[in-house]
Amino acid sequence: MPLSFPLLDPVAFSIGPFAIRWYALAYVAGLLGGWFYAKRLAAKAELWGSSPQPKPTDIDDLIVWVALGVVLGGRMGYVLFYNFDAYLQNPLEMFAIWRGGMSFHGGFLGAVLALVLFARSRGLNALALLDMAAVVTPIGLFFGRIANFINGELWGRPAPDFPYAVVFPHAGPEPRHPSQLYEALGEGLILFIVMAVAARKFGFKRPGLLGGIFVLGYAIARIVCEFFREPDAQLGFLFGSSVEGLGGGITMGMLLSVPMAVVGAAFIVMAARGYTRPAKAAEAA
């Protein structure tokens, strides 16, 4: 028997006319959790090797840069990749972030750009800084997907025979996979554990290695979860309409994850072979 959707109000609480939504709190929790964890990583000199070690004040400033990169990049990515025609007809809607519509892939690119610019402004190793960000990012992914579930959005594909299927209020009467929770598990919790173990084992002494592991890991988790997630209504399947045993064709989420997987694998190989090590460290070796 399918589960009824939990009656969770998307609004966490209100202060007068101002409504604070769970989705906004998820962003705050992700950024604050990432900031706290990043400060602990930055304080461990043994993790950094010959790469310049960020100061505590660097991490405090970095969180602002990353927040702007995530929000601006995430919104631009959604507009360009997922609903460009609609926003072209009503350009002012592009700025209505409070109505929803964010893309992880766009937010990822925005965060990367912010990190690179910040590293250059502080004389830090950009790849090592990206590695540190890669270790903490799954925290935000976890809370973001939980917020998607609370909002009853980005629901899964029909699953009438799945015992833990959920009937979402805006997705019709069909029981569906709670794909938001699958993504919270794969892109969030499991990837967080993988990155924490990798950080403990490798540190940031091979710049680009941890970033590559994260990018490849996210791409794999996202592609797997896309087989359970309903494609965006305005896009549908980009190629094909069915895959034997998996029930669906190629989605935009899958398509955008393929180059991520390639880039992630390339950085793992380059870092493992020492191509990304700082010049002084390479000469010493």
Side-chain angles (χ1 to χ4, degrees):
M1 183 176 181
L3 304 176
S4 298
F5 182 77
L7 298 178
L8 298 174
D9 192 339
V11 176
F13 59 91
S14 299
I15 303 176
F18 300 101
I20 308 299
R21 295 179 172 270
W22 287 109
Y23 198 73
L25 292 179
Y27 268 84
V28 172
L31 288 168
L32 290 180
W35 167 76
F36 177 77
Y37 191 15
K39 292 200 79 165
R40 293 190 61 181
L41 293 171
K44 296 182 178 180
E46 66 274 13
L47 296 178
W48 293 88
S50 60
S51 295
Q53 186 177 355
K55 302 174 183 176
T57 53
D58 289 331
I59 305 301
D60 294 339
D61 295 337
L62 178 61
I63 193 69
V64 179
W65 289 57
V66 171
L68 289 174
V70 168
V71 172
L72 295 177
R75 185 59 171 178
M76 290 178 63
Y78 182 80
V79 170
L80 293 174
F81 299 143
Y82 288 93
N83 217 357
F84 183 69
D85 290 339
Y87 286 111
L88 199 60
Q89 296 175 11
N90 193 358
L92 292 179
E93 285 294 313
M94 296 182 188
F95 304 100
I97 298 177
W98 57 90
R99 295 181 183 174
M102 297 289 282
S103 161
F104 168 80
H105 296 89
F108 170 76
L109 292 176
V112 168
L113 179 59
L115 282 160
V116 170
L117 294 176
F118 181 84
R120 293 186 62 180
S121 71
R122 300 295 173 95
L124 299 170
N125 185 299
L127 284 178
L129 206 60
L130 286 167
D131 285 342
M132 182 181 68
V135 177
V136 306
T137 296
I139 298 173
L141 292 174
F142 174 81
F143 285 114
R145 294 310 183 190
I146 295 297
N148 290 148
F149 181 74
I150 292 174
N151 284 350
E153 61 189 4
L154 305 182
W155 49 74
R157 302 183 191 186
D161 298 324
F162 183 55
Y164 300 105
V166 175
V167 177
F168 292 95
H170 305 297
E174 292 182 292
R176 294 175 177 273
H177 283 289
S179 57
Q180 312 96 322
L181 301 183
Y182 302 169
E183 292 188 79
L185 177 64
E187 303 164 9
L189 182 59
I190 293 176
L191 194 53
F192 174 80
I193 294 172
V194 170
M195 295 309 303
V197 172
R200 185 180 183 87
K201 181 176 179 61
F202 302 114
F204 309 114
K205 300 170 185 177
R206 298 179 181 179
L209 178 61
L210 296 184
I213 294 173
F214 167 78
V215 172
L216 177 59
Y218 174 84
I220 292 173
R222 179 63 183 267
I223 290 172
V224 170
C225 290
E226 283 285 319
F227 283 111
F228 300 94
R229 175 174 163 175
E230 184 74 11
D232 293 81
Q234 70 275 15
L235 292 177
F237 293 109
L238 303 184
F239 305 103
S241 59
S242 66
V243 175
E244 290 298 326
L246 293 175
I250 304 301
T251 66
M252 179 61 80
M254 292 176 183
L255 188 64
L256 294 175
S257 295
V258 170
M260 286 186 71
V262 174
V263 170
F267 269 97
I268 292 172
V269 172
M270 290 190 295
R273 293 182 178 179
Y275 297 151
T276 62
R277 296 175 67 183
K280 291 182 179 180
E283 290 172 4

